[in-house]
Amino acid sequence: MNAYEDYMNELVEAYRRDLTKYNFEELTTTDAVNTFMNDLDSNETTFVVINSMCGCAAGLARPAARTVALQNPNKPDHLVTVFAGQDKEATETMREYIGQAPSSPSMALFEGKDLKYFLPREFIEGREVEDIMMDLKDVFDEHCQ
């Protein structure tokens, strides 16, 4: 690794921990994403956060994701995250499963490999964190029993 990569890895470590310390599994390679997705049962739910360094990730996406994932009575079976701009191949692989235009940060809910919900950056940025939390709560209540 060069000095720039070392610096960036050190800088984003806190952003990674913002989810991983709340039981989000970080998928950092293409193989990790594929293995995870291929091992899912068709009835298991997975909440995916595509993390990023931007302000809307820090102030809106991560707080909404971790709060609802921890506090809502209906929870997904799995919580995972990939980091856009850092773990590029893993992020691209997850985006292939999501099947939507690239968007960072963003969130998705799967049942098995079937996408049930996608929240792109355009519906995160500029909103109140409570509104994003309500969107996630509604989706969890509908799909996660």
Side-chain angles (χ1 to χ4, degrees), residues 89-106:
E89 293 83 11
T91 302
E92 288 307 312
T93 302
M94 184 58 77
R95 285 178 172 155
E96 290 173 14
Y97 284 100
I98 292 172
Q100 302 289 322
S103 183
S104 305
S106 61

Side-chain angles (χ1 to χ4, degrees), residues 104-116:
S104 305
S106 61
M107 301 177 214
L109 184 75
F110 287 90
E111 187 173 321
K113 290 185 192 175
D114 294 329
L115 181 68
K116 297 297 182 179

Side-chain angles (χ1 to χ4, degrees), residues 2-93:
N2 64 38
Y4 174 77
E5 289 171 331
D6 286 342
Y7 171 76
M8 290 306 293
N9 285 336
E10 185 177 319
L11 182 66
V12 303
E13 185 57 35
Y15 305 148
R16 291 177 187 277
R17 279 194 320 269
D18 226 3
L19 293 174
T20 58
K21 72 180 177 184
Y22 297 101
N23 299 320
F24 280 79
E25 179 182 353
E26 191 169 40
L27 305 175
T28 60
T29 66
T30 294
D31 287 344
V33 172
N34 285 327
T35 298
F36 178 85
M37 293 300 286
N38 289 325
D39 286 348
L40 289 173
D41 289 335
S42 62
N43 62 342
E44 290 181 302
T45 53
T46 301
F47 180 49
V48 178
V49 175
I50 296 184
N51 201 354
S52 73
M53 292 179 53
C54 69
C56 65
L60 299 169
R62 291 192 300 266
R66 68 177 181 250
T67 300
V68 176
L70 291 173
Q71 295 179 3
N72 197 57
N74 297 311
K75 297 174 178 34
D77 297 306
H78 305 281
L79 305 172
V80 300
T81 182
V82 294
F83 206 114
Q86 301 302 305
D87 303 319
K88 294 175 185 173
E89 293 83 11
T91 302
E92 288 307 312
T93 302

